């Protein structure tokens, strides 16, 4: 099913559900500090989250049921009407072979992880990147010039193999992730044993939140930390692959984000496509200085007021 059509009912429905889950997941919850209150759900966060999950699972149920019906028809008439060789087909094949190994509920939980983690974070980062570039026309011009030079040489569309030849585009993505990490506290981690970190005692089983938003704006690490300056990465080997702790929007080590590689590909190719194929302007009578740069609090940090840019 194609969810990319912005005006379609299905795309808006799934967008609203995922936004609701991200909002609920990022709100401070009293029961984390006072577990005795958990059955009461004083803020209603558990019930709100349950409603969102049920709506998302209902969408998945509908898609899975449609595919099962097509597969049934295909089997009955000995023709191939349904096999699309996509992830859903592969998982259904596993389910039919051994339902105990992978149940329908397991599939829906996997899809929830893929949709929630793989859509909101990418779109949020792209929106911030476009906002920062529109606010900095000279840097947008440099990025477009680099892309035009690459495309003129290749005479074909951009693909992931071109990313290493686009140092300024890479710097734009790094600078966006520094200023606007999609997960400002990453995901909660837990200490597996007592440890001392620079004089602080972290007890076994303590929940740990890493404030990568603050790390990215630390004046001890970054010069002029609140300014959008992709150039700072042109002469720096700092990367977000988890080896440089100054920049860890995807975390580090064995518990780093499993979606890093696909995010790396999508962010560069999608941003390049938007910049290369279109000129962008703001709504009538709006100046770049008037762009709202406030963040909306949640598990991720989207813009408080969505960017409204017009392609030309």
């Amino acid at each position: 099913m194609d969810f990319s059509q912005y005006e379609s009912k299905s795309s808006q429905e799934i967008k609203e559900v995922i936004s609701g889950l991200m909002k609920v997941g990022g709100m401070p919850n009293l029961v984390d500090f006072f577990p005795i209150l958990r059955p009461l759900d004083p803020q209603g966060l558990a019930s709100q989250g349950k409603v969102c999950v049920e709506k998302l699972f209902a969408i998945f149920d509908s898609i899975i049921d449609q595919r099962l019906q097509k597969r049934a028809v295909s089997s009955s008439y000995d023709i191939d009407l349904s096999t699309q060789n996509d992830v859903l087909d592969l998982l259904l094949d596993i389910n039919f072979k051994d339902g105990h190994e992978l149940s329908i509920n397991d599939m829906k939980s996997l899809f929830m992880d893929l949709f929630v983690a793989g859509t909101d974070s990418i779109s949020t980062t792209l929106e911030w990147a476009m906002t920062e570039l529109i606010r900095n026309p000279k840097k947008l011009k440099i990025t477009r010039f680099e892309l035009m030079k690459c495309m003129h040489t290749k005479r074909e569309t951009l693909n992931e193999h071109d990313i290493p030849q686009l140092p300024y585009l890479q710097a734009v993505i790094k600078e966006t992730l520094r200023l606007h990490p999609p997960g400002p506290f990453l995901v909660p981690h837990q200490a597996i044993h007592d440890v001392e970190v620079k004089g602080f005692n972290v007890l076994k089983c303590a929940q740990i939140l890493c404030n990568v938003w603050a790390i990215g704006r630390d004046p001890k690490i970054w010069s002029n930390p609140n300014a959008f300056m992709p150039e700072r990465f042109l002469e720096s080997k700092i990367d977000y692959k988890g080896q440089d702790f100054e920049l860890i929007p995807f975390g580090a080590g064995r518990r780093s984000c499993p979606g890093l590689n696909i995010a790396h590909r999508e962010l560069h190719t999608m941003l390049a496509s938007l910049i290369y194929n279109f000129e962008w302007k703001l709504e009538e009578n709006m100046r770049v200085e008037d762009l709202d740069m406030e963040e909306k609090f949640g598990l991720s940090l989207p813009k408080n007021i969505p960017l409204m840019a017009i392609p030309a």
Side-chain angles (χ1 to χ4, degrees), residues 122-132 302-303 305-307:
I122 295 293
S123 61
T124 295
T125 303
L126 280 172
E127 184 177 30
W128 279 117
M130 287 297 297
T131 302
E132 292 287 6
K303 288 179 87 283
I305 300 178
L307 173 67

Side-chain angles (χ1 to χ4, degrees), residues 28 40 44 64 92 95 115 127 177 182 188 202 260 272 283 299-300 307:
L40 302 177
I64 293 171
L92 285 173
N95 175 260
F115 273 79
E127 184 177 30
L177 289 169
V202 181
L260 189 155
E283 295 178 289
L299 199 59
S300 62
L307 173 67

Side-chain angles (χ1 to χ4, degrees), residues 208-220:
I208 301 167
L209 297 174
C210 184
N211 192 342
V212 293
W213 185 93
I215 293 173
R217 296 172 184 253
D218 189 344
K220 296 178 182 178

Side-chain angles (χ1 to χ4, degrees), residues 241-253:
K241 301 297 178 67
Q243 304 301 316
D244 303 300
F245 293 103
E246 304 95 323
L247 188 68
I248 51 171
F250 298 97

Side-chain angles (χ1 to χ4, degrees), residues 111-307:
F111 290 148
M112 184 174 74
D113 287 344
L114 291 173
F115 273 79
V116 174
T119 55
D120 183 86
S121 54
I122 295 293
S123 61
T124 295
T125 303
L126 280 172
E127 184 177 30
W128 279 117
M130 287 297 297
T131 302
E132 292 287 6
L133 287 172
I134 290 173
R135 290 180 74 235
N136 296 270
K138 291 183 179 179
K139 302 182 192 301
L140 176 58
K141 186 176 181 180
I142 294 172
T143 311
R144 180 177 287 115
F145 179 77
E146 181 182 69
L147 289 167
M148 291 177 67
K149 186 177 179 181
C150 178
M151 292 299 99
H152 177 74
T153 303
K154 291 167 49 58
R155 297 184 184 279
E156 59 184 38
T157 58
L158 184 85
N159 58 55
E160 63 184 87
H161 302 296
D162 300 311
I163 296 175
Q165 281 71 54
L166 298 165
Y168 198 82
L169 178 67
Q170 293 182 68
V172 167
I173 296 296
K174 290 178 182 178
E175 182 70 342
T176 302
L177 289 169
R178 179 187 72 83
L179 281 170
H180 310 286
F185 295 108
L186 299 181
V187 294
H189 290 66
Q190 188 178 78
I192 58 176
H193 53 72
D194 295 345
V195 65
E196 182 180 320
V197 181
K198 292 192 173 183
F200 292 94
N201 291 319
V202 181
L203 302 180
K204 180 181 178 180
C205 295
Q207 182 171 269
I208 301 167
L209 297 174
C210 184
N211 192 342
V212 293
W213 185 93
I215 293 173
R217 296 172 184 253
D218 189 344
K220 296 178 182 178
I221 301 174
W222 309 98
S223 60
N224 202 1
N226 293 317
F228 182 74
M229 297 169 52
E231 295 80 9
R232 72 172 83 240
F233 287 104
L234 294 179
E235 299 178 1
S236 170
K237 295 183 179 180
I238 293 177
D239 207 342
Y240 47 69
K241 301 297 178 67
Q243 304 301 316
D244 303 300
F245 293 103
E246 304 95 323
L247 188 68
I248 51 171
F250 298 97
R254 291 180 298 171
R255 299 294 182 265
S256 60
C257 176
L260 189 155
N261 288 328
I262 191 171
H264 173 78
R265 297 183 182 97
E266 288 186 349
L267 286 172
H268 287 85
T269 54
M270 293 171 71
L271 182 62
S273 178
L274 290 172
I275 295 171
Y276 179 71
N277 290 295
F278 302 100
E279 298 279 350
W280 294 91
K281 63 180 182 179
L282 296 175
E283 295 178 289
E284 190 176 357
N285 299 324
M286 187 174 186
R287 304 177 304 165
V288 293
E289 296 85 357
D290 298 329
L291 272 173
D292 180 84
M293 298 299 289
E294 293 296 318
E295 300 154 332
K296 183 188 295 183
F297 183 79
L299 199 59
S300 62
L301 282 183
K303 288 179 87 283
N304 185 46
I305 300 178
L307 173 67

Side-chain angles (χ1 to χ4, degrees), residues 60-112:
F60 296 154
D61 276 327
S62 174
I63 297 171
I64 293 171
D65 288 344
Q66 290 177 31
R67 183 64 58 85
L68 288 172
Q69 290 174 14
K70 288 183 179 179
R71 289 169 70 108
V73 171
S74 176
S75 176
S76 299
Y77 291 92
D78 196 26
I79 55 176
D80 188 4
L81 295 176
S82 63
T83 302
Q84 300 179 13
N85 293 322
D86 56 17
V87 174
L88 178 54
D89 263 324
L90 293 173
L91 295 180
L92 285 173
D93 288 341
I94 296 173
N95 175 260
F96 286 141
K97 290 178 182 178
D98 185 356
H100 295 290
E101 183 179 354
L102 186 74
S103 69
I104 296 295
N105 280 333
D106 293 334
M107 292 166 56
K108 291 190 292 185
S109 295
L110 173 60
F111 290 148
M112 184 174 74

